[in-house]
Amino acid sequence: MTARILDGKALAARRRTALAQQVAALPFRPGLRVVRVGDDPASGVYVRNKDRAAREAGLDSETIHLPEATTEAELLAVVHRLNEDPAVDGILVQLPLPPQIRQDAVLDAVDPAKDVDGFHPVNGGALLAGRPGLVPCTPRGVMLLLEEAGVSPRGARAVVLGRSTIVGRPMSLLLLNADATVTTAHSRTRDLAAECRRAEILVCAVGRAELVRGDWVAPGAIVIDVGINRGADGRLVGDVAFAEASAHAGAITPVPGGVGPMTIACLLENTVQAALARRAG
Ligand code: NDP
């Protein structure tokens, strides 16, 4: 079997075009503010990509770049100012933050109605309760990729590798809310390979280059690779050994060009969702 490739880049491009049309028809411009603290080069690339994509979609986007030595109180003051600013619909604080700043204190300070990353406990609680809210971008993007591929989670055995608050946990909840039977695996899981082999839908969000081997993948399984890692030769690779897994899977996302572009598309969609919800109520 040779797996079908799930092209996240193409799907994200289509969704961004549709969103730009929706935004152009609005009587206002949804506002996104990305806050970056310090000079981490990887964060710089992510922030620039988000800002460019937001502008292309017609959003009013701005990056606020603060120095590495910014204190927690100074960052909280910026977040509070953005919470109060009526022109701002979405606030994203780029992670990681420098060590003098407590990440939780900052994420908790963002107005849940403007929390387009979906990391505020109020939005996490809504997801847990199966209520509407702002959903973290990467797992939301995975659900859209599954939908596009015609894969229904209902009744399916899904295995999620990873339990971070950013990807793994919300991913498991979204699949559960979509009626999958979900196993969440992590670094303490015994016999990871056996757990993976039971999956009809396998989502890998671990951050270990090519951890998941071909013989961990059940015949015909849908494999979604969230991981972004540098391989030994410097190439970007996922958590899944792509060539090996493709020989077993029914469908698989590539790295790059799979989940990554969907994350950005969903950030833009969350911003428009937040803008419409704030004005509705
Ligand atoms: P974290 O480091 O926060 O979480 C990793 C998870 O994987 C943890 O739950 C950890 O278990 C588990 N884990 C680590 N090692 C193993 C192992 N050997 N076997 C089984 N489980 C293991 O990472 P993130 O969730 O933030 O990100 C995961 C990956 O996804 C990274 O490569 C990241 O770059 C990528 N990513 C990609 C995005 C995209 O847009 N495509 C967006 C966000 C992330 P435990 O809890 O026990 O420690």
Side-chain angles (χ1 to χ4, degrees), residues 225-238:
D225 191 353
V226 179
I228 302 176
N229 314 285
R230 286 270 166 217
D233 56 2
R235 270 182 321 120
L236 274 191
V237 290

Side-chain angles (χ1 to χ4, degrees), residues 138 162-164 167 186-187 192 205-208 226-229 259-260 263:
T138 300
R163 56 175 166 177
S164 73
V167 189
H186 45 78
S187 67
L192 206 58
V206 166
R208 300 276 181 275
V226 179
I228 302 176
N229 314 285
V259 176
T263 297

Side-chain angles (χ1 to χ4, degrees), residues 200-221:
E200 293 166 284
I201 299 172
L202 177 62
V203 182
C204 307
V206 166
R208 300 276 181 275
E210 302 185 326
L211 173 77
V212 176
R213 310 309 309 185
D215 64 358
W216 295 25
V217 174

Side-chain angles (χ1 to χ4, degrees), residues 5-281:
I5 307 296
L6 303 178
D7 187 345
K9 200 172 165 191
L11 177 58
R14 285 199 298 280
R15 294 193 74 96
R16 282 167 55 177
T17 301
L19 192 77
Q21 285 166 357
Q22 186 190 352
V23 169
L26 291 175
F28 61 90
R29 283 177 80 202
L32 173 66
R33 298 294 177 269
V34 179
V35 184
R36 176 183 175 207
V37 184
D39 296 309
D40 176 56
S43 291
V45 174
Y46 290 135
V47 165
R48 270 194 299 282
N49 287 343
K50 287 170 185 172
D51 191 50
R52 194 178 56 230
R55 284 165 195 262
E56 280 172 14
L59 305 188
D60 161 24
S61 174
E62 224 178 84
T63 299
I64 298 165
H65 191 179
L66 303 172
E68 181 79 28
T70 300
T71 65
E72 185 177 300
E74 287 166 337
L75 179 54
L76 287 174
V78 170
V79 170
H80 289 136
R81 178 170 60 74
L82 296 174
N83 283 344
E84 297 305 320
D85 186 342
V88 174
D89 296 294
I91 303 168
L92 183 157
V93 180
Q94 183 66 40
L95 304 178
L97 292 166
Q100 73 276 16
I101 301 176
R102 290 170 303 156
Q103 180 174 304
D104 284 354
V106 175
L107 296 182
D108 289 359
V110 174
D111 179 348
K114 298 187 177 188
D115 169 39
V116 286
D117 251 341
F119 294 164
H120 193 285
V122 164
N123 283 315
L127 185 58
L128 185 69
R131 294 192 205 167
L134 288 161
V135 173
C137 304
T138 300
R140 179 176 160 163
V142 172
M143 295 305 284
L144 292 172
L145 271 167
L146 291 175
E147 186 185 307
E148 171 75 6
V151 176
S152 170
R154 175 169 295 177
R157 281 191 308 275
V159 174
V160 177
L161 296 192
R163 56 175 166 177
S164 73
T165 48
I166 293 173
V167 189
R169 278 169 208 247
M171 187 73 252
S172 291
L173 286 169
L174 282 172
L175 286 163
L176 185 63
N177 292 349
D179 297 327
T181 301
V182 183
T183 301
T184 309
H186 45 78
S187 67
R188 308 281 179 219
T189 298
R190 270 196 314 264
D191 202 348
L192 206 58
E195 294 296 341
C196 291
R197 270 184 216 113
R198 296 189 310 123
E200 293 166 284
I201 299 172
L202 177 62
V203 182
C204 307
V206 166
R208 300 276 181 275
E210 302 185 326
L211 173 77
V212 176
R213 310 309 309 185
D215 64 358
W216 295 25
V217 174
I222 311 301
V223 179
I224 308 285
D225 191 353
V226 179
I228 302 176
N229 314 285
R230 286 270 166 217
D233 56 2
R235 270 182 321 120
L236 274 191
V237 290
D239 290 344
V240 179
F242 182 82
E244 288 178 21
S246 297
H248 297 260
I252 187 167
T253 59
V255 176
V259 176
M262 292 303 296
T263 297
I264 293 192
C266 288
L267 168 67
L268 309 180
E269 293 184 357
N270 275 355
T271 305
V272 174
Q273 180 188 323
L276 295 173
R278 281 182 60 239
R279 279 164 184 79

